[in-house]
Amino acid sequence: MPTSASSWRAPQLSRRFIPVWRRNFLVWRKLALPSVLGNLADPVIYLFGLGFGIGMLVPEVGGVRYISFLAAGMVCYSTMNAASFEVLYSGFSRMHVQKTWEAIMNAPIDLDDVVFAELVWAASKALLSGAAILLVISAFGLVDTRYVLWLLPLIFLVGLAFAALGLVMTALAPSYDFFMYYFTLFITPMTLVSGVFFPIEQLPPALRTAATLLPLTHAIELARPLLLGRLPENVALHLGVIAGYGTAAFWLALALTRRRLLK
């Protein structure tokens, strides 16, 4: 079993993660259409259900139609969910149930590359999911398309951050049931206070301060102005927080995974 110090050593990455990423892509490609539709359905239902329902009661939020305000939240929400579900349920299956990771490591590929491939693959799926939502809301004229392409690298970065957070849970989980704690105690409360459905300025001061520490808040602070045809403020701060979460969580996830698998 690796020592505590060796588990926490810096990630040692190489281009060997690419074949692992490609392996995941080839498996997913067989079920690509149901996968994309599944990731698309939930945020689209929220978007049009709440957008037209609550939008009838609250015509404008922040000077724009409520459904347009909600659209940016749904892009980030979809990205977060796609990345999280991939590393939690599919990633856990490959790591623990199917023993796919162990089989891959019989080849000249280190665990660091396998975990990094899972991270990048989950972010890639999140990019597809977020881009699909962008396509839908653009087709319905809910956004200003002036800066819409700038959302694509942001979506990928957000996918990396939430994939890294999810990998921490994957490394700790004894079973699939464990993930309910993560969604119930972290993902759902964060979704409710990060500005997805309403401006965080409406929150009590203490809760508003807590919301500014969450990665989803910073993702939305960047995404919403871009979708409304404006340039966001404090770009470096928001990007730094998102990247910081992703970097720290990936290092933690890798250390926990080393301790779990390299016995």
Side-chain angles (χ1 to χ4, degrees), residues 13-238:
L13 306 177
S14 72
R15 294 177 62 184
R16 288 175 293 182
F17 84 91
I18 297 175
V20 183
W21 181 95
R22 183 173 181 272
R23 178 261 172 205
N24 291 342
F25 168 74
L26 292 174
V27 172
W28 169 83
R29 192 174 64 176
K30 297 178 181 179
L31 299 171
L33 183 59
S35 176
V36 171
L37 292 178
N39 287 330
L40 192 61
D42 190 48
V44 167
I45 290 171
Y46 272 111
L47 175 64
F48 290 106
L50 295 178
F52 288 117
I54 296 179
M56 297 295 292
L57 304 174
V58 185
E60 289 191 356
V61 175
V64 299
R65 290 189 302 162
Y66 179 69
I67 192 170
S68 297
F69 174 89
L70 185 62
M74 287 298 101
V75 171
C76 296
Y77 171 80
S78 174
T79 302
M80 175 184 69
N81 270 0
S84 299
F85 273 97
E86 179 61 26
V87 294
L88 293 175
Y89 291 97
S90 299
F92 183 76
S93 295
R94 289 188 284 267
M95 179 193 71
H96 181 70
V97 179
Q98 300 169 354
K99 306 295 183 182
T100 304
W101 292 11
E102 293 183 18
I104 291 173
M105 286 189 293
N106 287 321
I109 296 178
D110 294 332
L111 179 62
D112 293 28
D113 292 316
V114 174
V115 178
F116 186 64
E118 291 287 337
L119 177 82
V120 178
W121 168 242
S124 301
K125 282 195 67 176
L127 176 60
L128 288 174
S129 180
I133 296 294
L134 277 179
L135 185 62
V136 170
I137 61 179
S138 298
F140 280 89
L142 300 178
V143 298
D144 187 322
T145 58
R146 201 178 324 171
Y147 301 118
V148 72
L149 291 181
W150 290 26
L151 264 293
L152 296 178
L154 174 62
I155 288 170
F156 187 73
L157 178 63
V158 172
L160 287 173
F162 282 102
L165 289 167
L167 282 170
V168 175
M169 297 298 104
T170 299
L172 294 171
S175 67
Y176 293 108
D177 294 337
F178 183 80
F179 301 135
M180 290 304 300
Y181 297 109
Y182 180 64
F183 280 100
T184 302
L185 300 178
F186 181 63
I187 293 294
T188 299
M190 179 170 56
T191 301
L192 294 175
V193 303
S194 293
V196 175
F197 303 109
F198 53 83
I200 63 171
E201 289 77 17
Q202 296 183 1
L203 296 170
L207 196 54
R208 188 188 317 148
T209 300
T212 60
L213 302 176
L214 299 172
L216 185 59
T217 300
H218 293 273
I220 293 173
E221 287 294 321
L222 291 171
R224 183 162 284 133
L226 291 174
L227 287 174
L228 295 177
R230 304 193 299 263
L231 294 176
E233 300 177 353
N234 302 315
V235 174
L237 171 65
H238 298 313

